[in-house]
């Protein structure tokens, strides 16, 4: 199965294992809650889907790479305890709590979440002394004499033997007590994730042209060469940061992430061309509605991969503006909700406290501190994805600025204090409107260019399809509209359906010897 289906199965399993009956007991007893065993090549995204599944199910996550552990840290250390049996005192060996089990309890205390996922990675690559402990863990849900707390779902992951020389095979007794899922690399599924994660547009367009280079592990006389989904994502993060710093990655740096010589060389050459196309065609000018006449002349002779790269660059520029608009929206919505709570709190301020100097600023400061504490608690629990966390951090920063204005104003009463905050919010609202207008204007300019350069060719199909598949673009267009997008989407989809029907008809006719 692909990684997306595996994530869905994990989420469904968590919901099923944590479901309770009318008496408040788990509907599936813990002894019947088979651990999930994910088997797949390295770098495919097993750890990431655990974070996503835990966040979407609203439970905690404790993740360990078990190869970093010894038998003592996993099981605990022995100590002597005095016991009395049948009137006779004896010394008995017991074990301290496993570090892993202790981490589960620590997570529960830190987050307030009593249920969660215990994820053990590389479970079939442990040392010989730890192997029996892992078998016991999968069979009995215990480390030594310490059981995994009730309400914690066990998920383990391992690599097939062809990817790791240290792999140990599980026996049938163990395999009969787990739910095994075999995961394979899947580029279309990864691209869905990549769009939402804002993977660098050069990587997406390169893999569109060279899908066979998405995931490879090759072993020959010169050693092992590989490229993985993890490598592409980590390289993307570096490329984005380099661009913000005015730096450019070269082949030597790329090979540190893409550890496959031929693919690294190929992508490095493509990346150089990608940046060259950005400058030669003037992508920012295109999105400002000031496309150079020379750009249209050059496209007449350009090969398809150059045209596709240009479309990708235009989409990347739009994506930046859509994301900025969404961030401005999120900040305004969050601050507006906070403002409503503030108005209510101001109205409920006791009369004796309302006479204190700067009482409104102090109350606002306390509310802001509570908001920041809640953000930190949710962050520790892993319940915030990156966009949500960024929105909350930006909101907290904005509120701190408002607090300074409130202190400076020294408002005499609740109405005056709230007027100060309302004025600050108006500035934020204006910034949101500006971001929306900028993105809308860029989208219209992009359609102007695409119509003049490509009309309804394959490049326009790619452009409209990517707008549809991009979460940021889809959300922006759904909220703010774009007539030409809806028209092209409708027409191109209709054409696609007609082509598919024609292909089916031709195939049917060939089967009957009519062609």
């Amino acid at each position: 199965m692909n990684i997306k289906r595996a994530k869905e199965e994990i989420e469904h399993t968590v919901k099923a294992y944590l479901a309770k009956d009318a008496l408040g007991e788990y509907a599936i007893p813990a002894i019947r809650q088979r651990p999930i065993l994910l088997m797949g090549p390295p770098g495919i995204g097993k750890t990431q889907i655990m974070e996503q599944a835990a966040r979407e199910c609203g439970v905690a996550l404790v993740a360990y790479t078990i190869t970093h552990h010894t038998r003592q840290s996993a099981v605990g250390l022995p100590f002597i305890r005095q016991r009395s049996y049948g009137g006779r005192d004896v010394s008995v060996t017991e074990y301290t709590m496993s570090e892993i089990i202790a981490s589960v309890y620590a997570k529960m205390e830190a987050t307030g979440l009593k249920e969660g996922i215990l994820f053990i990675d590389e479970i079939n690559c442990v040392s010989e002394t730890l192997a029996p402990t892992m078998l016991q863990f999968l069979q009995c849900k215990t480390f030594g004499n310490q059981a995994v707390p009730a309400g914690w779902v066990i998920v383990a992951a391992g690599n097939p033997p062809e990817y790791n020389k240290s792999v140990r095979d599980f026996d049938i007794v163990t395999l009969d007590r787990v739910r095994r899922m075999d995961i394979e690399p899947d580029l279309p599924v990864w691209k869905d994730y990549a769009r939402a994660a804002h993977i660098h547009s050069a990587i997406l367009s390169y893999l569109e042209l060279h899908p066979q280079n998405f995931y490879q592990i090759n072993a020959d006389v010169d050693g092992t060469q590989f490229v993985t989904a993890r490598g592409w994502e980590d390289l993307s993060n570096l490329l984005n940061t380099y661009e913000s710093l005015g730096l450019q990655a070269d082949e030597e740096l790329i090979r540190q992430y893409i550890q496959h010589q031929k693919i690294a060389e190929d992508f490095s050459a493509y990346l150089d061309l990608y940046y060259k196309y950005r400058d030669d065609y003037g992508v920012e000018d295109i999105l400002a509605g000031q496309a150079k006449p020379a750009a249209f002349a050059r496209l007449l002779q350009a090969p398809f991969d150059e045209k596709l790269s240009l479309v990708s660059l235009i989409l990347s520029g739009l994506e930046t503006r859509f994301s900025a608009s969404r961030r401005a929206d999120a900040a305004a919505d969050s601050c507006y909700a906070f403002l409503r709570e503030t108005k209510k709190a101001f109205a409920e301020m006791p009369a004796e406290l309302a006479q204190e100097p700067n009482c409104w600023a102090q109350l606002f400061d306390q509310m802001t501190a509570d908001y920041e504490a809640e953000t930190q608690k949710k962050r520790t629990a892993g319940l915030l994805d990156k966009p949500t966390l960024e929105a909350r951090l930006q909101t907290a920063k904005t509120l701190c600025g408002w607090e300074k204005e409130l202190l400076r104003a020294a408002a005499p009463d609740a109405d005056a204090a709230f007027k100060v905050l309302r004025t600050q919010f108006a500035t934020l609202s204006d910034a949101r409107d500006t971001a929306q207008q900028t993105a809308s204007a860029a989208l219209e300019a992009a359609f102007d260019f695409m119509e003049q350069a490509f009309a309804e060719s394959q490049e326009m199909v790619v452009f409209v399809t990517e707008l549809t598949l991009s979460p940021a673009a889809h959300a922006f267009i759904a909220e703010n509209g774009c007539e030409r997008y809806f028209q092209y989407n409708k027409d191109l989809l209709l054409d696609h359906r007609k082509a598919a029907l024609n292909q089916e008809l031709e195939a049917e006719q060939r089967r009957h010897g009519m062609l």
Side-chain angles (χ1 to χ4, degrees):
M1 67 173 64
N2 60 49
I3 200 75
K4 182 179 180 181
R5 174 66 190 279
K7 174 175 171 276
E8 292 172 351
E9 286 294 326
I10 291 168
E11 291 177 358
H12 294 165
T13 299
V14 169
K15 292 174 182 177
Y17 284 3
L18 300 184
K20 296 182 179 179
D21 59 22
L23 299 176
E25 299 293 323
Y26 289 108
I28 302 176
I31 193 64
R32 297 301 174 200
Q33 294 183 5
R34 287 193 174 199
I36 293 175
L37 177 61
L38 301 175
M39 297 296 291
I44 199 173
K46 296 187 288 290
T47 303
Q48 282 192 331
I49 64 167
M50 299 312 309
E51 296 171 355
Q52 295 169 20
R55 184 166 56 245
E56 292 173 19
C57 290
V59 299
L61 172 67
V62 171
Y64 270 94
T65 300
I66 201 63
T67 50
H68 299 166
H69 283 268
T70 63
R71 185 177 185 279
Q72 288 74 23
S73 63
V75 176
L77 293 172
F79 66 94
I80 305 300
R81 183 186 292 277
Q82 294 300 120
R83 296 283 188 182
S84 179
Y85 296 114
R88 181 166 162 255
D89 290 337
V90 294
S91 297
V92 179
T93 300
E94 293 192 8
Y95 287 85
T96 58
M97 179 176 284
S98 157
E99 177 188 326
I100 296 173
I101 298 296
S103 295
V104 172
Y105 283 108
K107 178 67 78 168
M108 293 165 69
E109 289 189 4
T111 64
L113 299 172
K114 302 304 180 185
E115 298 174 325
I117 300 172
L118 174 56
F119 177 58
I120 306 295
D121 199 7
E122 298 185 11
I123 195 167
N124 60 342
C125 300
V126 296
S127 64
E128 185 176 351
T129 57
L130 194 54
T133 300
M134 291 300 99
L135 297 180
Q136 179 196 29
F137 168 67
L138 290 176
Q139 293 176 15
C140 308
K141 303 180 181 65
T142 61
F143 280 109
N145 60 356
Q146 304 289 332
V148 176
W152 280 74
V153 177
I154 296 172
V155 181
N159 299 321
E162 60 265 31
Y163 299 107
N164 195 317
K165 296 178 181 179
S166 304
V167 163
R168 296 175 178 278
D169 291 330
F170 292 120
D171 56 33
I172 295 177
V173 175
T174 301
L175 290 174
D176 193 37
R177 287 177 166 84
V178 300
R179 293 175 52 186
R180 175 168 174 157
M181 300 182 191
D182 292 294
I183 308 171
E184 297 294 335
D186 189 318
L187 178 57
V189 166
W190 183 80
K191 285 177 67 177
D192 288 341
Y193 162 78
R195 293 183 185 98
H198 304 292
I199 297 298
H200 197 281
S201 58
I203 292 176
L204 289 176
S205 60
Y206 173 78
L207 293 177
E208 184 72 29
L209 293 166
H210 307 283
Q212 73 280 6
N213 292 344
F214 167 58
Y215 195 104
Q216 286 190 33
I217 298 181
N218 309 125
D220 53 31
V221 292
D222 297 323
T224 301
Q225 297 189 87
F226 60 90
V227 54
T228 67
R230 180 193 295 138
W232 287 118
E233 181 166 9
D234 291 346
L235 176 59
S236 169
N237 290 329
L238 186 81
L239 291 177
N240 286 324
T241 304
Y242 263 42
E243 287 182 7
S244 68
L245 296 172
L247 303 174
Q248 188 164 340
D250 58 16
E251 182 185 328
E252 186 174 345
L253 184 142
I254 289 170
R255 288 178 62 177
Q256 296 168 20
Y257 292 86
I258 309 304
Q259 298 183 51
H260 189 293
Q261 183 174 346
K262 184 178 179 181
I263 296 176
E265 290 175 356
D266 195 39
F267 178 70
S268 178
Y270 178 82
L271 186 62
D272 289 341
L273 278 175
Y274 193 79
Y275 289 137
K276 187 175 185 298
Y277 296 151
R278 180 189 61 189
D279 298 334
D280 289 353
Y281 282 100
V283 172
E284 287 301 310
D285 292 336
I286 291 172
L287 294 175
Q290 299 170 357
K292 302 172 183 176
F296 299 105
R298 176 170 175 170
L299 281 172
L300 292 175
Q301 306 298 325
F304 178 71
D305 60 346
E306 182 173 332
K307 294 177 180 178
L308 186 64
S309 298
L310 177 58
V311 172
S312 177
L313 283 161
I314 293 171
L315 287 164
S316 177
L318 289 175
E319 186 82 9
T320 300
R321 290 160 173 79
F322 294 151
S323 297
S325 179
R326 291 187 72 188
R327 287 194 298 271
D329 264 343
D333 290 345
S334 181
C335 288
Y336 180 75
F338 194 91
L339 213 54
R340 288 173 61 91
E341 292 297 319
T342 301
K343 186 175 183 179
K344 181 180 178 182
F346 280 3
E348 294 174 352
M349 170 83 81
E352 61 275 14
L353 295 179
Q355 306 303 316
E356 297 290 331
N358 290 325
C359 61
W360 312 109
Q362 290 174 9
L363 177 57
F364 190 79
D365 174 61
Q366 182 59 53
M367 293 179 68
T368 302
D370 291 344
Y371 182 85
E372 291 176 332
E374 182 185 10
T375 298
Q376 186 57 44
K377 184 175 181 180
K378 290 183 176 181
R379 186 177 190 175
T380 302
L383 297 179
L384 302 176
D385 58 16
K386 186 177 180 181
T388 305
L389 175 60
E390 288 178 348
R392 291 188 69 92
L393 293 176
Q394 181 58 50
T395 298
K397 182 179 179 181
T398 301
L399 295 176
C400 287
W402 290 6
E403 180 191 341
K404 292 177 182 177
E405 292 299 322
L406 205 52
L407 274 170
R408 189 179 294 112
D413 54 41
D415 288 341
F418 192 74
K419 184 178 180 180
V420 172
L421 297 177
R422 194 167 55 230
T423 301
Q424 294 300 309
F425 178 77
T427 302
L428 192 67
S429 182
D430 290 343
R432 174 177 59 183
D433 293 343
T434 299
Q436 183 272 321
Q437 292 164 9
T438 299
S440 291
L443 181 58
E444 293 298 330
F447 267 112
D448 288 341
F449 179 83
M450 292 295 297
E451 286 176 345
Q452 190 171 347
F454 302 116
E456 295 186 12
S457 63
Q458 183 66 23
E459 290 80 8
M460 181 65 86
V461 175
V462 172
F463 180 71
V464 175
T465 300
E466 287 298 319
L467 286 176
T468 303
L469 295 176
S470 164
H474 182 78
F476 179 85
I477 294 172
E479 178 72 23
N480 300 287
C482 177
E483 255 184 66
R484 282 189 286 183
Y485 164 78
F486 291 118
Q487 187 58 48
Y488 275 109
N489 195 35
K490 178 181 176 182
D491 292 345
L492 294 174
L493 181 60
L494 182 61
D495 290 342
H496 177 72
R497 287 177 176 171
K498 287 179 179 177
L501 287 172
N502 287 335
Q503 288 177 359
E504 290 179 14
L505 179 60
E506 290 174 4
E508 184 68 22
Q509 290 173 334
R510 280 194 296 270
R511 281 195 294 271
H512 290 83
M514 297 174 64
L515 289 179

